[in-house]
Amino acid sequence: MIEHVNQLGSAAPETGAPPRGRSVAVWCLDTTLDQVGGHRVDRASAVLDAGERDRAARLVRSGDRHRYLASHLGLRVLLGGFLGLAPEEVGLVREECPCCGGPHGRPAVAGGAVHFSLSHSGDLAYLAFAGTPVGVDVEGVPDAAAMTDVINSLHPAETAELAALPEPGRRIALGRLWARKEAYLKGTGTGLALGLADPYIGCAAAPATLPGWSLTDLPAPAGYAAAVAVADPA
């Protein structure tokens, strides 16, 4: 487990140099804040690009829209800090999808100077930055209905592991497994396009070893699980 997660708050952060090699920088953000990284969320339109503004405008509920704006404002503030740019100067693009080759793969910085990943659940956002492809995920501990929906979509060995656990440990273990698996799938760029069955990751205290990747749990508040996956340097 990575023992330290940076907290992004209302004030401008000190990011330092971009991560290199196997290192990864992870930040956590309360997305209900009215100011993130020195910028007011209600003025985020001056910082975000047209695509981000359009996605925010399509969110019907004001709370969802605020959380989206806060998390993407935080992303740009941190990327700008790593790159020595103003947040609005950071160019974001989409990589090719590894499944179909379409222009809807992993979000990336134009030029690839640093890799990043963003995840949010409830009022929390986690952001990870690395010198190689990276995926981060935070999940609220699932309720019984979510457990029923997901458990048979996992790797058969994972389904068996979860079924052998008593409640409420089973739901906590599923949250941990789900965060690990989504972090890895986001890092590879496939996302959930190919389902949740592969690869086997497991819900034990430590995740299974994945060739070419480092996968680790992250500290998270009660009721949440989080994980980060980082590709090994070439």
Side-chain angles (χ1 to χ4, degrees), residues 131-158:
T132 60
V134 61
V136 72
D137 192 62
V138 58
E139 297 287 342
V141 172
D143 58 20
M147 168 71 74
T148 300
D149 289 342
V150 172
I151 190 168
N152 291 317
S153 301
L154 302 169
H155 190 283
E158 294 166 343

Side-chain angles (χ1 to χ4, degrees), residues 183-201:
Y184 171 74
L185 295 175
K186 289 170 71 175
T188 63
T190 62
L192 300 179
L194 302 179
L196 286 169
D198 292 315
Y200 168 79
I201 288 175

Side-chain angles (χ1 to χ4, degrees), residues 39-57:
H39 298 262
R40 289 192 56 82
V41 175
D42 59 6
R43 299 175 184 169
S45 60
V47 176
L48 306 185
D49 64 24
E52 291 167 313
R53 292 194 297 270
D54 179 65
R55 287 189 290 275

